[in-house]
């Protein structure tokens, strides 16, 4: 079943006449076509893509026949075209992306559309959380590229190489292997700066006996990869090895808990319990993972806040960590596909401690 058909079926169950989309990845999810500025209106029997002269020719060639592209211009602005289609299709109950649009746009919609606006951002989040086979193939392709880049970067890390150098080389290698770009700015840290979970690369240079943390990913066919590896340069101390192995045991404990129907909180707690019992509980402050797809962070969340059951077909990261401020940090991250009775690995790279 196409993504558009899935959404149209949900309109019925949600008692909606239509759904109006502005988020570029929500629109891309509908028909596989990417525009950076535009809108889409989905009703029970139709779908309109509102775009401009930059995209109209490509949209006409690429979109499936179920989606009708409409050219917007100064003489025929997007809001008027949306209003006309809402009236033409008899849309009275219209869902909107309350989690994506700003106040100015919301007020404009209220003023110009003759329809009741209903907050339905969660509808798209839930639909997008369950990946199709085509989506899964794109996620695997992005991950394969990231792993190829990783094998290249570990050949180049030597004492004196800076965090900037590592981040730049990773980005280059992913592009070289076919990426469309980074899925987020690489987090590449050395030594005590590894204690910064989302640290920004600097001129700090790698030294022997340090950890090097690399959190990075790329985009392929619009879909994101996400992985973290913490490697040691030259050798490790007993403390470094202890912390690394604790994080690895925590990741494995969370992974063992994963299957459809288990809550995100239960998975997180399984990993956090390992870290807590090892005496590092105060140094693990973020969730175990998050959904990955067209966006690098999407539903479902794998954190203490998510008591809802994880759905089969979701793709999530598994990324516990220990971060002792101004001293040491370790994170290990894989991505997996949730099944009814467990999970399927998307990340192929091993997680054993690597000394380079």
């Amino acid at each position: 079943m196409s993504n558009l058909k899935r959404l149209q079926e949900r309109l019925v169950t949600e008692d909606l006449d239509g759904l109006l989309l502005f988020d570029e990845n929500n629109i891309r999810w509908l028909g596989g076509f990417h525009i950076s500025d535009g809108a889409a209106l989905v009703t029970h029997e139709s779908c309109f893509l509102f775009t401009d002269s930059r995209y109209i020719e490509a949209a006409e060639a690429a979109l499936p026949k179920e989606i009708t592209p409409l050219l917007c211009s100064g003489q025929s602005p997007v809001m008027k075209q949306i209003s006309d289609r809402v009236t033409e299709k008899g849309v009275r109950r219209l869902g909107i992306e309350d989690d994506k649009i700003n106040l100015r746009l919301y007020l404009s919609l209220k003023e110009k559309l003759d329809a009741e606006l209903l907050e339905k951002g969660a509808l798209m989040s839930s639909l997008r959380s369950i990946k199709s086979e085509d989506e899964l193939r794109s996620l695997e392709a992005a991950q394969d590229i990231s792993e190829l880049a990783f094998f290249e970067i570990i050949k180049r890390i030597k004492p004196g190489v800076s965090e900037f150098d590592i981040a730049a080389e990773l980005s280059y290698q992913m592009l070289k292997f076919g990426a469309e770009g980074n899925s987020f700015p690489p987090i590449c840290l050395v030594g005590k700066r590894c204690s910064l979970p989302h640290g920004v690369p600097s001129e700090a240079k790698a030294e022997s006996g340090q950890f090097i943390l690399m959190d990075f990913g790329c985009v392929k066919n619009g879909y994101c990869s996400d992985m973290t590896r913490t490697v040691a340069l030259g050798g490790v101390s007993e403390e470094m090895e202890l912390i690394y192995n604790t994080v690895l045991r925590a990741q494995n404990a969370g992974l063992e808990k994963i299957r459809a129907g288990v809550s995100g909180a239960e998975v997180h707690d399984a990993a956090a319990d390992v870290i807590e019992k090892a005496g590092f509980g105060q140094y693990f402050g973020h969730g175990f993972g998050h959904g990955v797809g067209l966006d690098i962070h999407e539903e479902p969340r794998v954190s203490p806040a998510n008591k809802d059951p994880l759905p089969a077909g979701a793709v999530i990261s598994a990324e516990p960590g220990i971060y002792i401020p101004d001293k040491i940090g370790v994170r290990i991250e894989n991505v997996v596909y949730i099944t009814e009775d467990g999970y399927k690995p998307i990340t192929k790279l091993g997680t054993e401690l690597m000394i380079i």
Side-chain angles (χ1 to χ4, degrees):
M1 183 185 299
S2 71
N3 287 342
L4 174 59
K5 186 64 176 174
R6 287 176 60 200
L7 174 53
Q8 288 173 326
E9 288 190 353
R10 281 290 295 274
L11 294 182
V12 176
T13 60
E14 296 278 341
D15 191 25
L16 293 172
D17 299 315
L19 184 68
L20 183 59
L21 304 175
F22 289 93
D23 179 75
E24 62 186 271
N25 280 334
N26 281 342
I27 294 171
R28 184 170 192 162
W29 179 86
L30 279 178
F33 185 73
H34 180 240
I35 55 174
S36 60
D37 184 22
L41 173 66
V42 181
T43 70
H44 290 189
E45 303 295 337
S46 59
C47 178
F48 302 99
L49 177 71
F50 305 95
T51 187
D52 58 34
S53 60
R54 294 172 295 171
Y55 299 104
I56 190 66
E57 182 179 0
E60 289 171 342
L63 285 171
K65 64 181 186 302
E66 295 81 7
I67 302 178
T68 303
L70 296 175
L71 176 64
C72 303
S73 65
Q75 291 71 42
S76 184
V78 62
M79 196 61 74
K80 183 176 188 310
Q81 291 221 37
I82 292 172
S83 178
D84 288 347
R85 299 292 85 73
V86 165
T87 301
E88 172 191 313
K89 295 298 178 179
V91 176
R92 305 303 302 168
R93 291 173 54 82
L94 179 64
I96 58 171
E97 306 159 300
D98 54 291
D99 57 338
K100 302 291 184 181
I101 65 175
N102 59 35
L103 178 60
R104 178 178 294 178
L105 178 54
Y106 172 73
L107 293 175
S108 179
L109 293 172
K110 284 202 69 172
E111 175 189 353
K112 296 179 180 178
L113 301 186
D114 185 20
E116 179 185 4
L117 303 183
L118 301 166
E119 299 173 1
K120 292 294 178 179
L123 189 161
M124 286 301 299
S125 296
S126 66
L127 281 170
R128 281 180 50 188
S129 70
I130 300 173
K131 304 301 190 282
S132 68
E133 287 298 319
D134 284 344
E135 290 179 295
L136 187 56
R137 281 191 287 271
S138 291
L139 287 160
E140 290 172 335
Q143 181 60 35
D144 289 346
I145 290 170
S146 294
E147 293 184 29
L148 288 171
F150 174 79
F151 284 119
E152 290 299 319
I153 195 66
I154 59 174
K155 300 174 187 175
R156 293 164 168 77
I157 296 177
K158 311 289 182 187
V161 170
S162 74
E163 295 173 347
F164 281 145
D165 295 333
I166 298 169
E169 187 66 27
L170 273 172
S171 297
Y172 167 70
Q173 291 294 337
M174 287 188 289
L175 289 171
K176 182 180 175 182
F177 286 116
E180 295 158 12
N182 292 332
S183 47
F184 57 94
I187 300 168
C188 299
L189 308 168
V190 302
K192 65 182 182 180
R193 285 175 44 80
C194 294
S195 70
L196 303 169
H198 274 195
V200 177
S202 72
E203 294 179 354
K205 292 179 172 54
E207 299 176 10
S208 186
Q210 289 182 334
F211 272 140
I212 298 166
L213 186 152
M214 294 170 282
D215 185 349
F216 61 100
C218 71
V219 177
K220 185 66 175 179
N221 303 324
Y223 286 81
C224 299
S225 64
D226 193 2
M227 65 179 290
T228 307
R229 286 297 182 268
T230 305
V231 303
L233 182 59
V236 291
S237 66
E238 289 185 6
E239 181 183 40
M240 291 167 69
E241 189 170 13
L242 170 64
I243 290 173
Y244 187 94
N245 288 333
T246 301
V247 173
L248 182 56
R249 288 192 295 111
Q251 186 192 55
N252 288 334
L255 289 171
E256 287 171 6
K257 195 75 174 178
I258 291 174
R259 66 180 185 278
V262 172
S263 73
E266 289 176 275
V267 174
H268 173 89
D269 290 347
D273 185 58
V274 171
I275 294 174
E276 178 70 34
K277 287 179 177 176
F280 299 107
Q282 64 180 309
Y283 303 119
F284 176 35
H286 57 71
F288 180 81
H290 55 83
V292 181
L294 286 167
D295 288 308
I296 190 60
H297 293 98
E298 52 182 59
E299 298 300 327
R301 306 290 166 159
V302 190
S303 74
N306 184 15
K307 310 298 184 183
D308 296 327
L310 297 171
V315 171
I316 61 168
S317 68
E319 51 177 307
I322 292 174
Y323 315 93
I324 303 176
D326 202 36
K327 184 177 182 181
I328 195 171
V330 172
R331 180 164 66 251
I332 307 168
E333 178 182 20
N334 286 13
V335 172
V336 302
Y337 173 79
I338 300 175
T339 65
E340 291 290 348
D341 56 0
Y343 67 90
K344 172 187 173 182
I346 291 178
T347 307
K348 301 178 181 66
L349 184 66
T351 51
E352 65 279 359
L353 175 59
M354 184 178 293
I355 300 174
I356 59 174

